[in-house]
């Protein structure tokens, strides 16, 4: 809304808002302007009343903690009063009962949480109860339709009881609560001192035993309104009796489900644990009450606690609750078991609730897989699927006995033609492979030629992959391409050749770059390639003819479009940043920040945060690495996290779980270790230093040139092979954060940190007190940091 363009004279609302914004702008980091802006967008909307009231409550919450005599608080009080009465006038034509239900459902019920009481709950509850009291006072009960509805009857009883009640005989917390609400009704806002005096009040009110008669009636009103709301009306409640946990691939009964001491307020909707089951619509959710065993929810449908199912006719299945986060696949759908599922302890047989409620399909016709009708075979047995070549003992399958054809229920929906990240061409399903030695292009395990899988559609390309490997979430984008035309990926060159040895690169279009073939140039540690953010050690480079922009010859030729093995979508090369780094642009394969140089990004809406800096993007498999004798492959499966054999660390989300794995022995290499430079320069040595991976039997004592402490000969470290006896820890030489660009900045909670050359004499980190590395260090108002981790620890 353009406030200045509003008709003159200004309305009272516009005038108030302009005054508030003017005053709030003078307060550093004031939240009021944002909240007022949101309120402006909602005023006048016919469906915004609950949200508008919620914003008023937020603004009111900020106000209570401030000096009540301040100009801003005074203006906010006027605005809240104005919005409250304006909304009341707009609702005048609405039925009183409907208004009451809306206030209770959207305003009051979400606040009554007896388990996790927040500091502002008392304040907000007072505000909402005040609005409800104003509404009830405005209702002419004599003019209401007869007979009264159940809700209005309860309201009438509550008013009658309150009017005849002797307040002095009521428990102290209830008396204080009524007093607090009365003050709010008269003053519309109360001081912060009054609030702190009554801060824990409502927590005590909801815990009163025995429950006063007034609170019993109020609880009946809240419960009735909850049961009338469409948000909760169609729920089904569940009462699992036991908790199970997964140990060594099998579920074990951990304990009986515990129920807390019954509390009427705990049975209100805010304290329910809701479960969205596989394939469910939002209107058909299940819930579990954490207070009772379903005794207080008779008005809702109840899920059976024990059932008999046709897919498992031997024993009954019991409804169980999963403890912890480790799970496995459902017998029926091959999806992960959710927190609630049905389970047979004797057979270790588990099914999701959604699968239990699906109708049983005894036979199916799928011409694309088999020409005959397939019959359901529910018995658990080890039979190899003709489509995926796997023998799942915990999955139903369909069979054609005359043809000896077997297919898992989950394999029936496999696509025919797809494209995966591990291969440049499309692949299509084949019922069997030609004779020969085939190995899977994803897991690298041998393929059985007699069973189905996927093979390359291009003539002369001998590429095959298992059905299940091809459809993994980390290699396939989920799109069926049968009948779809081949996508035409336009080849875009990274640079335009102006003349021999002179180019114009897409990342530096305002100047030309000249090829420099001087391989004997002096080493300057402050000169970095703008693409990979590593020093210029040797080899040809492109340097700008007008500024200090430099690119390795190889980096200048990076393709603009790239398919990478760890991501199913096409990636686009993005040039350097504006000098400000962001955690939202961190590399998805390794822990290093990637915004200082070039990086590849995904443009698909669901993967906008996927980024790869160029070092990770150009690695290909098989990877031949000096740390291991065998070639390494990307064979990780979704949900599988392996510990790197070099750094003994496991990748943490949002970093991908992919590691380079050896198919001959138990060795894994993470992207962080795989991209460490093998050869580097040290400013106090004229030779190249090589990364050595240590020896288990070494007894030589090494000392780090930077921190002057011992180096464990069994760990990785850099060493000069030219008999200079120079050795350095990896972190001491290249830093804890790789690919940092001098002159860049990084914002951490609005605190600007600069990356400057390490010209100081071995500075001490302000956080960890260790010596800073030789590359760049972080500076923030006199503080020096050796890594982004130390920045987080000290400035957070």
């Amino acid at each position: 809304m353009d406030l200045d363009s509003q008709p003159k004279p200004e309305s009272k609302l516009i005038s108030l808002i302009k005054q508030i914004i003017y005053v709030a702008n003078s307060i550093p980091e004031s939240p009021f302007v944002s909240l007022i802006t949101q309120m402006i967008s909602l005023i006048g909307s016919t469906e915004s009343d609950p949200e508008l009231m919620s914003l008023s409550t937020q603004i009111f919450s900020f106000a209570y903690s401030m000096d009540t005599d301040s100009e801003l608080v005074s203006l906010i009080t006027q605005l809240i009063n104005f919005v409250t009465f304006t909304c009341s006038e707009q609702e005048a034509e609405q039925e009183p009962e409907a208004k009451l239900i809306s206030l209770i459902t959207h305003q009051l019920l979400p606040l009554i949480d007896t388990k996790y009481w927040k500091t502002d709950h008392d304040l907000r509850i007072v505000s909402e109860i005040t609005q409800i009291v104003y509404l009830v006072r405005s209702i002419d009960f004599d003019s209401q339709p007869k007979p009264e509805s159940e809700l209005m009857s309860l309201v009438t009883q509550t008013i009658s009881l309150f009017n005849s009640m002797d307040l002095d005989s009521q428990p102290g917390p209830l008396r204080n609560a009524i007093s607090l609400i009365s003050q709010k009704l008269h003053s519309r806002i109360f001081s912060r001192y009054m609030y702190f005096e009554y801060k824990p009040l409502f927590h005590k009110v909801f815990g009163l035993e025995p429950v006063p008669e007034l609170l019993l009636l109020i609880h009946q009103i809240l419960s009735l309104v909850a049961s009338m709301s469409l948000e909760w009306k169609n729920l089904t409640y569940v009462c699992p009796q036991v908790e199970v946990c997964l140990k060594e691939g099998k579920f074990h009964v951990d304990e009986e489900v515990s129920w807390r001491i019954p509390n009427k307020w705990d049975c209100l909707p805010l304290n329910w644990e809701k479960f969205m089951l596989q394939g469910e619509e939002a209107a058909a959710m299940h819930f579990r009450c954490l207070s009772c065993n379903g005794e207080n929810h008779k008005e809702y449908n109840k899920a059976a606690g024990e059932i008999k199912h046709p897919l498992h006719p031997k024993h009954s299945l019991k409804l169980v609750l999963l403890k912890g986060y480790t799970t496995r696949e459902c017998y029926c759908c091959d999806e992960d078991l959710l927190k609630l599922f049905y389970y047979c302890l004797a057979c270790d047989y588990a099914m999701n609730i959604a699968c239990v409620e699906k109708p049983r399909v005894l036979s199916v016709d799928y011409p694309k897989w088999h020409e005959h009708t397939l019959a359901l075979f529910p018995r658990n047995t080890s039979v190899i699927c003709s489509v995926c070549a796997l023998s799942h003992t915990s999955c139903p399958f369909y069979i054609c006995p005359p043809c000896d054809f077997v297919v898992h229920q989950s394999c029936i929906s496999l696509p025919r033609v797809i494209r995966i990240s591990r291969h440049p061409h499309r692949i299509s399903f084949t019922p069997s492979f030609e004779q020969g030695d085939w190995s899977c292009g994803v897991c690298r395990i041998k393929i059985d030629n007699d069973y189905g899988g996927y093979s390359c559609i291009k003539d002369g390309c001998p590429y095959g992959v298992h059905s299940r490997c091809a459809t993994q979430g980390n290699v396939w984008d989920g799109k069926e391409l049968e009948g779809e035309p081949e996508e035409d990926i336009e080849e875009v060159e990274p640079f335009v050749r102006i003349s021999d040895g002179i180019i114009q690169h897409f990342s530096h279009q305002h100047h030309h770059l000249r090829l420099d073939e001087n391989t004997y140039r002096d080493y300057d540690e402050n000169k970095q390639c703008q693409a990979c953010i590593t020093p210029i050690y040797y080899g040809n480079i492109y340097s700008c003819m007008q500024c200090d922009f430099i690119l390795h010859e190889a980096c200048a030729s990076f393709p603009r479009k790239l398919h990478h093995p760890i991501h199913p979508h096409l990636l686009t090369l993005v040039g350097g940043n504006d000098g400000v780094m962001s955690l939202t642009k961190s590399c998805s394969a390794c822990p290093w920040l990637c915004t200082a140089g070039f990086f590849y990004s995904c443009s698909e809406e669901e993967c906008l945060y996927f980024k790869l800096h160029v070092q990770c993007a150009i690695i290909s498999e098989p990877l031949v690495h000096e740390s291991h004798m065998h070639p390494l492959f990307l064979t990780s499966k979704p949900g599988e996290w392996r510990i790197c054999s070099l750094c003994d660390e496991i990748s943490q989300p949002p970093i991908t779980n992919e590691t380079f794995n050896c198919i001959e022995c138990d060795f894994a290499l993470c992207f962080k270790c795989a991209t460490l430079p093998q050869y580097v320069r040290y400013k106090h040595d004229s030779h190249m230093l090589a990364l050595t991976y240590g020896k288990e039997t070494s007894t030589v004592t090494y000392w780090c040139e930077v921190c002057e402490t011992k180096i464990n000969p069994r760990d990785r470290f850099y060493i000069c092979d030219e008999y200079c006896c120079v050795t350095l820890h990896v972190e001491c030489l290249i830093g804890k954060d790789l690919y940092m660009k001098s002159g860049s900045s990084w914002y951490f909670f609005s605190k600007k940190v600069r990356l400057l050359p390490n010209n100081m004499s071995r500075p001490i980190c302000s956080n960890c007190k260790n010596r800073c590395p030789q590359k760049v260090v972080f500076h923030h108002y006199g503080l020096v940091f050796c890594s982004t981790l130390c920045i987080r620890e000290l400035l957070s």
Side-chain angles (χ1 to χ4, degrees):
M1 180 187 292
D2 184 0
L3 296 177
D4 295 327
S5 66
Q6 297 303 304
K8 305 295 191 272
E10 297 169 335
S11 68
K12 181 179 179 182
L13 176 63
I14 298 299
S15 177
L16 277 172
I17 291 173
K18 290 183 70 173
Q19 292 179 65
I20 289 174
I21 292 176
Y22 176 79
V23 175
N25 275 329
S26 65
I27 302 176
E29 301 181 4
S30 170
F32 294 114
V33 173
S34 175
L35 290 171
I36 298 299
T37 304
Q38 295 177 57
M39 180 178 283
I40 293 172
S41 66
L42 292 173
I43 292 174
S45 172
T46 57
E47 300 178 355
S48 65
D49 290 346
E51 193 172 352
L52 192 59
M53 286 299 186
S54 176
L55 278 172
S56 301
T57 302
Q58 291 181 55
I59 296 172
F60 179 70
S61 299
F62 281 116
Y64 86 88
S65 62
M66 303 182 63
D67 181 3
T68 54
D69 296 327
S70 71
E71 181 184 2
L72 184 59
V73 172
S74 175
L75 290 169
I76 289 170
T77 304
Q78 295 178 54
L79 179 66
I80 292 172
N81 292 343
F82 183 85
V83 170
T84 302
F85 288 122
T86 301
C87 291
S88 299
E89 291 173 4
Q90 292 174 350
E91 292 176 343
E93 298 180 0
Q94 188 180 358
E95 289 294 330
E97 184 172 356
K99 290 189 287 185
L100 183 60
I101 291 173
S102 177
L103 277 174
I104 294 174
T105 302
H106 299 290
Q107 305 293 109
L108 186 57
L109 276 175
L111 296 176
I112 303 177
D113 183 352
T114 60
K115 303 189 304 301
Y116 307 108
W117 203 257
K118 298 179 181 178
T119 56
D120 65 339
H121 267 42
D122 288 10
L123 173 73
R124 296 171 64 190
I125 286 177
V126 169
S127 179
E128 304 310 334
I129 292 178
T130 304
Q131 293 183 49
I132 293 173
V133 172
Y134 275 118
L135 174 60
V136 172
R137 281 180 173 179
S138 68
I139 298 175
D140 182 1
F141 286 92
D142 293 332
S143 65
Q144 294 301 305
K146 305 299 180 185
E148 289 181 323
S149 67
E150 185 179 358
L151 175 60
M152 299 309 287
S153 175
L154 283 171
V155 172
T156 303
Q157 293 178 55
T158 305
I159 295 173
S160 176
L161 175 63
F162 180 79
N163 290 333
S164 63
M165 189 170 60
D166 179 11
L167 286 180
D168 293 335
S169 65
Q170 299 302 314
L174 183 56
R175 283 200 314 272
N176 292 336
I178 294 173
S179 173
L180 188 60
I181 294 168
S182 299
Q183 294 178 63
K184 176 68 169 66
L185 285 168
H186 288 94
S187 66
R188 306 291 294 171
I189 190 168
F190 51 92
S191 71
R192 56 180 175 176
Y193 307 108
M194 190 182 301
Y195 168 68
F196 283 117
E197 180 182 354
Y198 293 115
K199 185 176 178 181
L201 181 59
F202 281 93
H203 202 186
K204 295 177 181 177
V205 170
F206 293 135
L208 287 174
E209 289 292 342
V211 181
E213 187 177 358
L214 178 64
L215 293 183
L216 286 174
L217 283 171
I218 293 175
H219 186 274
Q220 289 183 55
I221 292 173
L222 298 181
S223 299
L224 177 62
V225 171
S227 66
M228 296 166 64
S229 172
L230 290 177
E231 182 181 353
W232 299 303
K233 190 172 184 178
N234 296 324
L235 296 182
T236 300
Y237 78 88
V238 292
C239 299
Q241 300 302 310
V242 295
E243 286 185 321
V244 297
C245 59
L246 190 65
K247 296 178 181 177
E248 298 179 352
K250 184 176 180 179
F251 287 111
H252 297 265
V253 175
D254 189 70
E255 60 184 12
E256 291 188 359
V257 174
S258 58
W259 305 97
R260 300 194 303 162
I261 299 175
N263 183 315
K264 286 183 174 295
W265 306 102
D266 289 345
C267 288
L268 292 174
L270 182 64
N271 298 303
W272 296 348
E273 184 178 13
K274 295 182 180 179
F275 302 94
M276 180 69 79
L277 306 182
Q278 195 72 32
E280 274 196 346
E281 298 294 334
M285 292 174 59
H286 291 61
F287 77 94
R288 181 172 77 99
C289 180
L290 301 179
S291 177
C292 70
N293 195 10
E295 295 299 322
N296 298 330
H297 304 291
K298 303 295 185 183
E299 67 274 22
Y300 294 96
N301 294 326
K302 179 182 179 182
E306 187 171 343
I307 62 167
K308 293 281 287 187
H309 196 273
L311 289 179
H312 191 70
K314 287 184 178 181
H315 308 115
S316 297
L317 302 176
K318 292 186 177 182
L319 187 63
V320 299
L321 182 70
L322 178 63
K323 186 176 183 179
Y325 299 98
T326 306
T327 186
R328 70 178 196 207
E329 293 177 346
C330 167
Y331 167 82
C332 189
C333 64
D334 266 2
E335 299 290 340
D336 284 345
L337 289 165
L338 302 181
K339 192 166 184 179
L340 277 172
F341 57 91
Y342 284 96
Y343 183 63
C344 174
L345 181 61
C347 304
D348 191 34
Y349 180 97
M351 290 177 66
N352 276 320
I353 295 179
C355 294
V356 168
E357 296 176 351
K358 286 179 182 177
R360 182 176 53 157
V361 180
L362 297 178
S363 61
V364 294
D365 288 304
Y366 278 93
K368 74 174 184 178
W369 296 117
H370 195 68
E371 63 270 23
H372 302 143
T373 298
L374 304 175
L376 177 66
F377 189 83
R379 184 179 294 274
N380 287 358
T381 185
S382 181
V383 180
I384 298 178
C385 174
S386 302
V387 173
C388 70
L390 298 176
S391 57
H392 283 289
T393 59
S394 60
C395 180
F397 51 89
Y398 289 86
I399 64 172
C400 178
C403 301
D404 191 25
F405 181 84
V406 178
V407 58
H408 289 126
Q409 178 178 272
S410 57
C411 290
I412 290 176
S413 59
L414 287 177
R416 296 288 295 185
V417 180
I418 60 175
R419 192 197 176 286
I420 63 174
S421 62
R422 304 298 171 85
H423 192 65
H425 312 134
R426 289 186 177 187
I427 57 176
S428 65
F429 181 80
T430 177
S432 61
F433 290 86
E434 297 178 0
Q435 292 302 313
D437 293 330
W438 293 79
S439 63
C440 176
V442 174
C443 71
R444 305 293 169 174
I445 297 175
K446 179 178 173 60
I447 293 176
D448 192 325
N449 300 9
D450 296 330
Y451 294 94
Y454 287 87
S455 62
C456 183
I457 63 173
K458 190 172 183 178
D459 292 339
C461 183
Y463 182 84
V465 60
H466 292 123
S467 298
R468 292 299 177 94
C469 294
T471 52
Q472 289 178 181
N474 60 336
V475 299
W476 178 47
D477 60 4
K479 296 178 181 178
E480 164 70 82
L481 301 178
E482 187 174 24
E484 296 290 330
E486 285 271 8
E487 63 272 22
D488 184 18
I489 301 175
E490 182 182 359
E491 292 289 339
V492 181
E493 294 295 332
F495 58 80
V496 176
R497 193 171 298 280
I498 304 301
S499 62
D500 188 25
I502 298 178
I503 64 171
Q504 184 180 38
H505 199 267
F506 83 94
S507 65
H508 196 68
Q509 296 188 20
H510 52 292
H511 296 152
H512 291 166
L513 309 179
R514 176 185 285 119
L515 182 63
D516 180 359
E517 297 178 323
N518 177 15
T519 58
Y520 298 101
R521 68 180 66 86
D522 293 333
Y523 168 60
D524 184 350
E525 64 177 0
N526 293 322
K527 287 187 176 181
Q528 292 178 317
C529 171
Q530 301 299 310
C532 64
I533 313 299
T534 57
I536 306 297
Y537 293 135
Y538 48 80
N540 297 343
I541 61 171
Y542 280 103
S543 59
C544 182
M545 301 169 66
Q546 296 178 250
C547 64
D548 58 358
F549 187 88
I550 302 174
L551 291 176
H552 287 115
E553 183 180 23
C555 294
S557 302
F558 285 150
R560 296 292 302 276
K561 303 288 184 179
L562 177 74
H563 281 291
H564 196 271
I566 69 170
H567 193 69
H569 303 135
L570 185 67
L571 303 178
T572 302
L573 182 64
V574 179
N577 69 341
D578 56 1
V580 180
M581 296 185 297
S582 169
L583 288 180
T584 62
K585 295 180 181 179
S586 298
C587 182
S588 300
C590 73
W592 314 124
L593 293 171
C594 66
T595 53
F598 291 5
F599 58 92
Y600 284 91
S601 67
C602 181
S603 59
E604 295 291 330
E605 185 174 354
E606 66 272 21
C607 302
L608 292 179
Y609 288 108
F610 186 89
K611 304 281 190 298
L612 287 179
H613 69 255
V614 291
Q615 280 83 349
C616 292
I618 62 176
I619 291 181
S620 60
E621 55 176 351
L623 174 64
V624 178
H625 199 265
E626 295 197 19
S627 64
H628 193 65
M629 65 186 76
H630 304 134
L632 306 174
F633 299 90
L634 294 164
T635 61
S636 301
K637 298 182 182 297
E640 177 186 50
W641 298 84
R642 297 189 62 176
I643 297 176
C644 176
S645 300
L646 293 187
C647 63
D648 290 329
E649 295 178 359
I650 186 169
S651 298
Q652 298 295 328
I655 299 173
T656 179
N657 66 321
E658 294 282 358
T659 54
F660 289 92
N661 307 314
C662 181
I663 60 176
E664 298 184 41
C665 55
D666 187 22
F667 182 88
L669 184 69
C670 67
F671 272 83
K672 171 185 172 182
C673 294
T675 55
L676 280 178
Q678 186 62 37
Y679 295 97
V680 295
R681 288 287 297 271
Y682 177 45
K683 62 183 178 181
H684 298 304
D685 194 323
S686 58
H687 306 122
M688 296 294 295
L689 273 62
L691 182 62
T692 179
Y693 294 93
K695 297 179 181 179
E696 290 294 330
T697 58
S698 177
T699 57
V700 179
T701 301
Y702 297 102
W703 293 84
C704 177
E705 293 283 328
V706 173
C707 67
E708 298 181 351
T709 61
K710 285 185 179 181
I711 293 176
N712 188 342
R714 296 173 177 81
D715 292 339
R716 291 174 297 179
F717 59 94
Y718 283 104
I719 186 171
C720 179
D721 289 332
E722 301 294 335
Y723 306 104
C724 295
C725 301
V726 173
T727 54
L728 296 99
H729 289 117
V730 173
E731 290 184 350
C732 288
L733 180 58
I734 65 174
K736 296 179 181 179
D737 292 289
L738 214 54
Y739 316 125
M740 295 289 104
K741 181 181 178 181
S742 178
S744 296
S745 58
W746 185 49
Y747 282 93
F748 184 76
F749 286 118
S750 300
K751 301 177 180 70
K752 189 175 183 179
V753 184
R754 297 281 295 176
L755 276 74
L756 300 176
N758 185 1
N759 296 324
M760 303 172 65
S761 178
R762 294 163 54 191
I764 301 295
C765 176
S766 300
N767 179 63
C768 68
K769 309 305 179 185
N770 292 325
R771 298 286 184 186
C772 290
Q774 294 296 302
K775 197 176 180 183
V776 294
V777 291
F778 301 86
H779 290 258
H780 173 71
Y781 293 105
L783 300 176
V784 179
F785 300 96
C786 66
S787 69
T788 55
L789 178 62
C790 286
I791 295 174
R792 293 189 186 100
E793 290 179 351
L794 192 63
L795 297 187
S796 60

